[in-house]
Amino acid sequence: MDDEKIASAGELALGLLEGTKRRDVLAALQEDAELRRAFRSWNEYLSLIHEADMAADAAPPARVFAGIEARLFGAPAARGWRHYLEVLRAPENRDTLLLLAVAKVALLAWLLWLFL
């Protein structure tokens, strides 16, 4: 069987063809028995994949996502106190950090006023 016919049948079965290319393949499908067999084969193969996907749980285990992240971005760092310092120093948290600093100064001033 011709590789181009197999590819065209696969593209048609997957719904990837548009416009004149789709019309040409649909017209050829009416006349070419070999193309019809390839199209039928693709549909059967895709339906088997779909049935297998529906039978199995579609979500991969969490370790798969963790493995992908580790390969892309390196191993995750241990979350110690330095991690939380970095989070506090982040630009989006500067308002919170300023509010905490003002609250600490106010508390210190109140304690000094009470005991002095």
Side-chain angles (χ1 to χ4, degrees):
M1 188 177 295
D2 185 15
D3 288 343
E4 189 170 328
K5 287 182 183 181
I6 295 172
S8 295
E11 289 173 342
L12 183 64
L14 288 168
L16 300 175
L17 297 179
E18 295 178 348
T20 58
K21 179 72 172 164
R22 179 179 169 78
R23 280 190 297 261
D24 293 344
V25 173
L26 285 173
L29 194 64
Q30 299 298 324
E31 300 170 2
D32 191 351
E34 200 173 353
L35 185 61
R36 278 194 302 272
R37 275 195 305 275
F39 181 69
R40 191 176 318 118
S41 175
W42 271 105
N43 278 331
E44 289 172 3
Y45 177 70
L46 293 173
S47 68
L48 288 174
I49 291 174
H50 178 69
E51 288 172 10
D53 185 42
M54 295 304 284
D57 188 14
R63 62 182 164 72
V64 173
F65 184 69
I68 292 171
E69 278 189 326
R71 273 190 93 177
L72 290 175
F73 307 113
R79 292 198 172 207
W81 61 274
R82 289 185 183 183
H83 168 74
Y84 295 108
L85 278 177
E86 289 176 15
V87 169
L88 278 176
R89 291 177 48 200
E92 61 269 10
N93 294 330
R94 286 194 180 144
D95 292 339
T96 306
L97 190 59
L98 181 64
L99 180 66
L100 285 173
V102 169
K104 284 182 179 184
V105 169
L107 180 63
L108 183 59
W110 181 68
L111 287 173
L112 287 174
W113 180 76
L114 276 177
F115 295 107
L116 291 182

Coordinates of all heavy atoms in Angstrom, one line a residue, residues 17-28:
L17 N -7.8 17.0 8.1 CA -7.9 17.6 6.7 C -9.0 18.6 6.7 O -10.0 18.5 7.3 CB -8.2 16.5 5.7 CG -7.1 15.4 5.6 CD1 -7.6 14.4 4.5 CD2 -5.8 16.0 5.2
E18 N -8.7 19.7 5.9 CA -9.7 20.8 5.7 C -9.7 21.2 4.3 O -8.8 20.9 3.5 CB -9.3 22.0 6.6 CG -9.3 21.7 8.1 CD -8.8 22.9 8.8 OE1 -8.3 23.9 8.2 OE2 -9.1 22.9 10.1
G19 N -10.8 21.8 3.9 CA -10.9 22.4 2.6 C -10.8 21.5 1.4 O -11.4 20.4 1.4
T20 N -10.0 21.9 0.4 CA -9.9 21.1 -0.8 C -9.2 19.8 -0.6 O -9.6 18.8 -1.3 CB -9.2 21.9 -1.9 OG1 -7.9 22.3 -1.5 CG2 -10.0 23.2 -2.3
K21 N -8.3 19.8 0.3 CA -7.6 18.5 0.5 C -8.6 17.5 1.1 O -8.5 16.3 0.7 CB -6.4 18.8 1.5 CG -5.6 17.5 1.9 CD -4.8 17.0 0.8 CE -3.9 15.9 1.3 NZ -3.3 15.1 0.3
R22 N -9.4 17.9 2.0 CA -10.4 17.0 2.5 C -11.4 16.5 1.4 O -11.7 15.3 1.3 CB -11.2 17.7 3.6 CG -12.3 16.8 4.3 CD -13.0 17.5 5.4 NE -14.2 16.9 5.8 CZ -14.2 15.8 6.6 NH1 -13.1 15.3 7.1 NH2 -15.4 15.3 7.0
R23 N -11.8 17.4 0.6 CA -12.8 17.0 -0.5 C -12.1 16.1 -1.5 O -12.7 15.1 -1.9 CB -13.2 18.3 -1.2 CG -14.4 19.0 -0.5 CD -15.0 20.1 -1.4 NE -14.0 21.1 -1.7 CZ -13.8 22.2 -1.1 NH1 -14.7 22.6 -0.2 NH2 -12.9 23.1 -1.5
D24 N -10.8 16.3 -1.8 CA -10.1 15.4 -2.7 C -9.9 14.0 -2.1 O -10.1 13.0 -2.8 CB -8.7 16.0 -3.0 CG -8.7 17.3 -3.8 OD1 -9.8 17.6 -4.4 OD2 -7.7 18.0 -3.8
V25 N -9.6 13.9 -0.8 CA -9.5 12.6 -0.2 C -10.8 11.9 -0.1 O -10.9 10.7 -0.3 CB -8.8 12.7 1.2 CG1 -8.8 11.4 1.9 CG2 -7.4 13.2 1.0
L26 N -11.9 12.6 0.2 CA -13.2 12.0 0.3 C -13.6 11.5 -1.1 O -14.2 10.4 -1.2 CB -14.2 13.0 0.8 CG -14.2 13.3 2.3 CD1 -15.1 14.4 2.7 CD2 -14.5 12.0 3.1
A27 N -13.3 12.3 -2.2 CA -13.6 11.8 -3.5 C -12.8 10.6 -3.9 O -13.3 9.6 -4.5 CB -13.4 13.0 -4.5
A28 N -11.6 10.6 -3.5 CA -10.7 9.4 -3.8 C -11.1 8.2 -3.0 O -11.0 7.1 -3.4 CB -9.2 9.8 -3.5

